[in-house]
Amino acid sequence: MSTATALKEETAVSLQTICTKADLVEFSGVAAWIETEQGPAQVAIFFLPDRDTELYAIDHRDPFSGANVIARGIVGDIKGEPVVASPVYKQHFRLEDGQCVEDESVKLRTWPVHFDGDKVVIEV
Ligand code: FES
């Protein structure tokens, strides 16, 4: 099984450039496509330039409505943690780890994301 193991390691992390800093909207979100092991997925990228962690990548799909809307949600703060409110039913999701504030059983996927110069790079 050494071949399978090697393959798995190779695909474990892929760095994908999704956009540039100029494509981002301060204190708001933009949507982008990424390739995951489960296939293409829509991700919402939030840019909060006043935070130690400026960039967040979280599922764009709202699990409560099934709509791809999270990037259009309003960004806020609950107990010092940055959150986005779904524009549909207004649930809040923590940008850090995707946890739904009102429903412990619901968690969005999140991915590490960073600037590389002007590029926005996500680790999938
Ligand atoms: S915020 Fe109400 S269910 Fe998550």
Side-chain angles (χ1 to χ4, degrees):
M1 297 301 285
S2 59
T3 310
T5 307
L7 246 183
K8 199 167 179 215
E9 279 168 11
E10 268 173 36
T11 55
V13 174
S14 97
L15 292 177
Q16 298 175 31
T17 300
I18 41 181
C19 60
T20 66
K21 194 168 186 173
D23 298 317
L24 300 175
V25 182
E26 290 192 2
F27 306 104
S28 188
V30 298
W33 285 97
I34 55 170
E35 286 296 330
T36 73
E37 282 183 346
Q38 296 80 42
Q42 288 191 46
V43 60
I45 309 294
F46 288 91
F47 180 31
L48 307 182
D50 64 340
R51 293 234 165 219
D52 290 341
T53 304
E54 290 184 309
L55 281 178
Y56 300 86
I58 187 168
D59 265 318
H60 185 39
R61 184 175 176 279
D62 170 19
F64 292 97
S65 64
N68 290 313
V69 292
I70 294 297
R72 293 198 287 277
I74 303 287
V75 175
D77 187 294
I78 294 182
K79 296 182 189 146
E81 307 256 23
V83 297
V84 58
S86 165
V88 184
Y89 298 125
K90 315 300 180 199
Q91 287 92 355
H92 298 87
F93 300 96
R94 286 204 305 249
L95 294 180
E96 200 74 57
D97 61 3
Q99 181 62 53
C100 175
V101 176
E102 291 86 0
D103 186 340
E104 195 173 84
S105 69
V106 177
K107 197 172 183 183
L108 299 186
R109 291 176 296 176
T110 56
W111 295 268
V113 60
H114 62 268
F115 286 119
D116 176 4
D118 239 19
K119 292 184 292 192
V120 177
V121 177
I122 189 166
E123 292 170 43
V124 180

